[in-house]
Each structure stands twice: as structure tokens, then as C-alpha cells.
Amino acid sequence: MKGIVNSMATIPSLNDCKPGIKPSEYNVLIAPESAEEVTKGGIILTVDSREMLEASAMKGRLVAVSPHAFTYVDSWPEGTKPQVGDAVTFGKYAGVLFKGADGREYRLCKDKDVSGRLEEEEDGQDD
């Protein structure tokens, strides 16, 4: 699965995520896009700038879903319910950030904070 890349951030692949936590109730676990250290123009971002970009990330990889998540009636039309591995968009400051067992930052939030699935292009290569 290929990660989505834009000029300032990258959505991690599911294979790169080993958080060591399973969400409960109606919670989901998202690996938010991570800010690059250097912009395309060669500007080196400070730690504060990268942290601010990562904290306000609105895209990420759905890493884990509780058994109750996305089960409320009529919220997701047939075939649109997010699945583990999907790239998703979510509320700007939804949930809480924490460091997983693998050292990566994760966002634990309510399933209702997920506002949509992002379409990804397959490149035919395995990561």
C-alpha cells in the first residue's frame, strides 16, 4: 500500500504502524500524516513547526477500529464504511495524540470524528 504524499506531509502505510493498542467502545486509531523535515523548496522546518503541522493533521491511515465503531444506523451508505488500512480525513483537533509502542504518534478518536475515506491510487508496487 502506497502512502499519500503532498508537499508537506505523508500518510504512513499500514505496514509501518505497530501501535500496541486496540481501541474500545466507538473509538478508532489513526496514524496521522507526518510532517516532512524539509519542504520541496529546501526550507528546513523547526521542530515546533513540524509538531504544529502534525497536531493539526486532518488526514491519516486508519490503523485499528473497535468492534462497535461505525455501527450506528444510516451513517455510512453501503460500501462506504471505513476499514482498517483506509486513508481517511478527520476533525482537525479530534481525539488525543499519544506515542505508540513503535514510537510513532497516533490519534485515538471517536468514529464520528472520521468524516470520509480518501481515494488512493495504486501504483502496482508493494511497499
Side-chain angles (χ1 to χ4, degrees):
M1 186 177 294
K2 184 80 174 150
I4 295 176
V5 178
N6 68 28
S7 63
M8 296 289 289
T10 303
I11 294 179
S13 74
L14 186 59
N15 295 334
D16 294 336
C17 300
K18 307 288 184 227
I21 186 173
K22 294 183 181 181
S24 61
E25 292 186 333
Y26 294 93
N27 292 307
V28 297
L29 188 65
I30 299 172
E33 61 188 355
S34 56
E36 301 296 330
E37 293 187 19
V38 180
T39 67
K40 278 186 177 181
I43 298 170
I44 299 171
L45 296 174
T46 65
V47 172
D48 288 342
S49 296
R50 286 195 315 267
E51 286 176 354
M52 188 174 4
L53 285 170
E54 289 172 357
S56 65
M58 295 188 308
K59 293 188 268 184
R61 181 78 53 205
L62 195 57
V63 175
V65 176
S66 76
H68 299 293
F70 306 115
T71 58
Y72 37 91
V73 181
D74 298 331
S75 293
W76 293 91
E78 188 65 33
T80 63
K81 179 176 146 181
Q83 305 287 323
V84 170
D86 285 347
V88 295
T89 182
F90 53 91
K92 191 168 189 171
Y93 294 101
V96 295
L97 288 171
F98 74 96
K99 211 170 268 286
D102 57 2
R104 179 184 295 278
E105 289 282 331
Y106 291 92
R107 190 179 296 259
L108 184 65
C109 57
K110 299 293 182 197
D111 56 356
K112 289 188 177 189
D113 290 327
V114 175
S115 53
R117 289 179 14 200
L118 299 170
E119 293 184 8
E120 295 183 271
E121 293 183 21
E122 290 295 323
D123 64 359
Q125 298 175 355
D126 293 328
D127 281 340

